Amino acid sequence: MTERGRTSTVNRFKDKEMESLFSKIFELGSLTERALSDAIWALSHQDKNLARQVLDGDDAVDELALEINTVSFQLIARYQPVAFDLRALEACIRMALDLERITDLAVNIARVTLDLDVRIKPLKNLEPMGMRVIAMLNTSMSALLRRDVSAAKEVFAMDDAVDDYEDGVFAELMEIVMETPALTNGSNKIITVARVLERAGDHVTNLAEHICYMIAGNRVRAADFRRVRTEDK
Amino acid sequence: MDDVKMKIESLSLSYSRGAPLALKDVSMGITANSVTAFIGPSGCGKSTFLRCLNRMNDFVRDVYIKGMVMLDGMDIYSPDVDVTNLRRRVGMVFQRPNPFPFSIRDNIAYGPKLLGERNRSKIEEIVERSLISAGLWEEVRDRLGEMATSLSGGQQQRLCIARAIAVEPEVLLMDEPTSALDPIATARVEELVRELKKDYTVAIVTHNMQQAARISDTTAFFLMGELVEYGPADVIFTTPGDKRTEDYITGRFG
Ligand SMILES: Nc1ncnc2c1ncn2[C@@H]1O[C@H](COP(=O)(O)OP(=O)(O)O)[C@@H](O)[C@H]1O
Ligand SMILES: [Mg+2]
């Protein structure tokens, strides 16, 4: 009985600290979402001020991601966690990394906005592509909050749409370049934005994979939930 | 397939008529040349189970045991089993080091002598080999005539392990062998346990979950006399299958 009493006290400390670690992940998630949506808005509205803010926000994100890492390792050292606790800490370390990378990608987009010296008409596919990635990010964060594996798995299929939008962006830019060869340079920059968003989608997919493992204990592969591409067959 | 050294089938035990079962229908295999750890809250039946593996519970009056325990396919509870020989084959190390009040040498020589070994140089050889295996030789080679009780707690426990292996058992049972030791002595015994599995099959009870995680190949979780789950330690400590195991090992119990 005393043994039980003791473990549950230690356990209460541990739970509290895990809780506060998770709240840091959510904070990082919302900073990331903010960076991404600002970067996309700045690009489509040619808002260089907002683009600069995205650049400025990067340090805070790096710091928070580092803090999550440090705290996770401290918890491992102090509590020698097992089972769910261990998986949760692994997930936190990896999620912090992915979220930080997504913010880096948002910074890349902001840089394109700052570099762009020509006006290119708004693309039909670019903003929706960004919105899609943001929706995936939000879905994975709420899956984490609710410890909901099936919600996390929804993220995998959402990534298919991101690929479709990317194809759409390429097609639109192709047309622009054919019409106005002088816009080739600017178009190429926008192509990098589409690539960057596609990679951001991959990082969100990773997030969802970490969340699934944390909750259910088995590794899922996003590819198993994605549509089979005709050219892959 | 791994070799199954001991096989337990539907083992139930009650300490007296009408008492609740201390073991409820436990079945599992103990793999040869590996470390199997039994974990679970106090009073869940770990020691009871361990003691069934070499019939130590026979000493208890009124004990009622049902089911089968096999050693290399032989039913150890069958009436024609020589219990002394069984306990030679399945040795035991206890929670508190319990050296005999003899010299270090005589502690080790005791078992082989009891088994009829009279050849002095053979006995010296056994003493040296056992102490080497128990990782104690370097520390005591120049003081074999000294009283075993003059050793530190950790050394005494390794002496007891040396004593247990002097009779060349096949299986070593250990009941919380480090619970009376400090962290350094504990680390040495843990290291020793991992060495020993090369030559022996080890089954160990521990209340220290991290210890089970560090040293066991297979971990078995007991709760109120029931074997809830057992499997590779890597699996039990990362992705246990049963909610009760999860709750226990993460400290969310009760
Ligand atoms: N010699 C005994 N006589 C009667 N009851 C016992 C005896 N040994 C253990 N018990 C009871 O059997 C149950 C299991 O005990 P034990 O095997 O020592 O648990 P553990 O080793 O997991 O702490 C407990 O309820 C304990 O009180
Ligand atoms: Mg016990």
Side-chain angles (χ1 to χ4, degrees):
Chain A
M1 281 301 132
T2 46
E3 192 178 317
R4 250 188 225 188
R6 198 198 61 215
T7 37
S8 67
T9 308
V10 170
N11 179 42
R12 242 180 296 136
F13 288 128
K14 181 181 64 183
D15 278 353
K16 257 197 158 147
E17 294 184 55
M18 297 274 290
E19 199 95 341
S20 98
L21 181 65
F22 275 118
S23 68
K24 287 187 173 62
I25 289 282
F26 290 120
E27 194 187 331
L28 185 59
S30 72
L31 288 177
T32 302
E33 193 225 299
R34 184 61 189 272
L36 207 50
S37 61
D38 283 354
I40 292 160
W41 174 277
L43 178 68
S44 47
H45 296 83
Q46 300 283 304
D47 183 341
K48 299 205 180 204
N49 272 333
L50 189 58
R52 251 175 242 114
Q53 280 176 35
V54 174
L55 260 63
D56 292 341
D58 193 37
D59 284 348
V61 166
D62 288 354
E63 229 165 82
L64 184 57
L66 187 64
E67 189 187 334
I68 288 168
N69 239 278
T70 309
V71 171
S72 301
F73 279 106
Q74 283 166 351
L75 289 176
I76 290 171
R78 297 211 340 265
Y79 295 110
Q80 288 138 310
V82 295
F84 176 82
D85 296 338
L86 181 62
R87 300 197 303 272
L89 289 172
E90 186 200 318
C92 285
I93 291 167
R94 299 176 73 141
M95 287 190 293
L97 214 61
D98 280 310
L99 289 166
E100 192 224 302
R101 299 312 294 264
I102 296 169
T103 313
D104 287 344
L105 295 170
V107 166
N108 287 351
I109 297 172
R111 287 225 167 85
V112 169
T113 306
L114 293 173
D115 275 2
L116 219 53
D117 41 17
V118 287
R119 275 203 90 86
I120 293 183
K121 67 169 186 193
L123 302 182
K124 279 203 298 290
N125 285 285
L126 194 61
E127 209 171 325
M129 183 181 184
M131 290 307 143
R132 194 68 183 177
V133 175
I134 289 169
M136 287 166 66
L137 181 58
N138 288 333
T139 304
S140 50
M141 286 294 116
S142 83
L144 177 65
L145 182 67
R146 302 200 316 264
R147 307 250 163 108
D148 181 345
V149 179
S150 53
K153 285 178 177 166
E154 279 169 27
V155 172
F156 303 141
M158 291 170 83
D159 205 27
D160 286 337
V162 173
D163 290 351
D164 291 342
Y165 285 124
E166 189 184 15
D167 292 344
V169 172
F170 288 169
E172 284 182 76
L173 287 169
M174 190 73 90
E175 236 170 75
I176 290 175
V177 169
M178 305 258 248
E179 272 170 28
T180 328
L183 289 178
T184 306
N185 228 334
S187 298
N188 284 344
K189 284 177 185 159
I190 308 282
I191 283 183
T192 60
V193 172
R195 292 244 160 81
V196 158
L197 282 175
E198 193 265 328
R199 276 169 52 207
D202 290 345
H203 282 289
V204 182
T205 300
N206 292 348
L207 283 180
E209 284 179 349
H210 308 326
I211 293 166
C212 287
Y213 180 64
M214 176 187 102
I215 300 167
N218 53 334
R219 306 257 180 213
V220 296
R221 285 177 54 245
D224 298 338
F225 296 84
R226 306 271 315 255
R227 120 193 109 196
V228 181
R229 287 208 160 213
T230 39
E231 62 261 41
D232 294 346
K233 277 204 231 165
Chain B
M1 261 300 282
D2 294 329
D3 261 359
V4 176
K5 184 70 187 174
M6 298 195 80
K7 194 164 171 13
I8 297 91
E9 273 172 23
S10 304
L11 187 69
S12 295
L13 180 148
S14 133
Y15 277 108
S16 58
R17 191 181 293 276
L21 290 176
L23 292 174
K24 298 173 193 161
D25 201 27
V26 175
S27 299
M28 74 177 291
I30 293 177
T31 307
N33 295 105
S34 74
V35 177
T36 301
F38 306 128
I39 60 169
S42 282
C44 69
K46 306 178 293 290
S47 299
T48 300
F49 184 67
L50 195 76
R51 288 195 301 262
C52 284
L53 303 183
N54 72 347
R55 293 184 54 170
M56 293 288 263
N57 288 320
D58 289 14
F59 295 128
V60 182
R61 278 187 54 195
D62 299 333
V63 72
Y64 164 81
I65 302 172
K66 200 182 91 184
M68 255 213 292
V69 178
M70 318 241 260
L71 174 65
D72 286 337
M74 170 195 79
D75 177 3
I76 69 168
Y77 282 93
S78 132
D80 54 348
V81 163
D82 174 354
V83 177
T84 309
N85 187 47
L86 169 69
R87 298 212 181 106
R88 186 195 63 73
R89 293 179 66 190
V90 184
M92 183 103 163
V93 174
F94 298 90
Q95 186 165 1
R96 299 204 149 266
N98 55 345
F100 302 135
F102 314 148
S103 69
I104 294 170
R105 176 189 287 108
D106 288 346
N107 261 275
I108 312 288
Y110 181 85
K113 279 182 182 167
L114 211 61
L115 291 173
E117 185 57 65
R118 290 284 172 266
N119 183 324
R120 287 192 63 146
S121 65
K122 187 76 201 294
I123 288 176
E124 281 306 305
E125 198 188 302
I126 293 172
V127 168
E128 178 172 343
R129 182 170 38 75
S130 308
L131 287 169
I132 289 173
S133 305
L136 195 58
W137 176 247
E138 290 307 324
E139 288 156 72
V140 302
R141 58 187 303 174
D142 301 321
R143 46 192 283 212
L144 294 176
E146 281 178 35
M147 286 297 281
T149 44
S150 70
L151 297 171
S152 73
Q155 288 173 325
Q156 287 186 16
Q157 193 58 304
R158 280 180 283 139
L159 180 73
C160 292
I161 293 170
R163 188 177 66 192
I165 60 190
V167 296
E168 299 182 33
E170 297 156 43
V171 180
L172 266 180
L173 309 178
M174 302 186 169
D175 195 347
E176 307 202 8
T178 63
S179 62
L181 307 183
D182 65 59
I184 305 281
T186 296
R188 297 215 50 176
V189 170
E190 288 184 5
E191 205 178 313
L192 175 58
V193 169
R194 296 173 67 135
E195 286 288 315
L196 289 172
K197 74 177 179 186
K198 290 192 199 117
D199 299 311
Y200 310 94
T201 300
V202 181
I204 183 169
V205 167
T206 174
H207 67 265
N208 179 334
M209 225 125 45
Q210 265 81 40
Q211 178 167 76
R214 284 190 295 267
I215 66 176
S216 70
D217 301 292
T218 300
T219 309
F221 172 58
F222 285 82
L223 190 62
M224 297 191 294
E226 196 189 326
L227 173 60
V228 171
E229 157 171 31
Y230 76 101
D234 291 332
V235 174
I236 298 287
F237 287 104
T238 54
T239 54
D242 194 289
K243 177 81 167 59
R244 292 166 292 173
T245 314
E246 169 91 34
D247 287 349
Y248 180 69
I249 65 177
T250 57
R252 293 183 174 80
F253 197 73

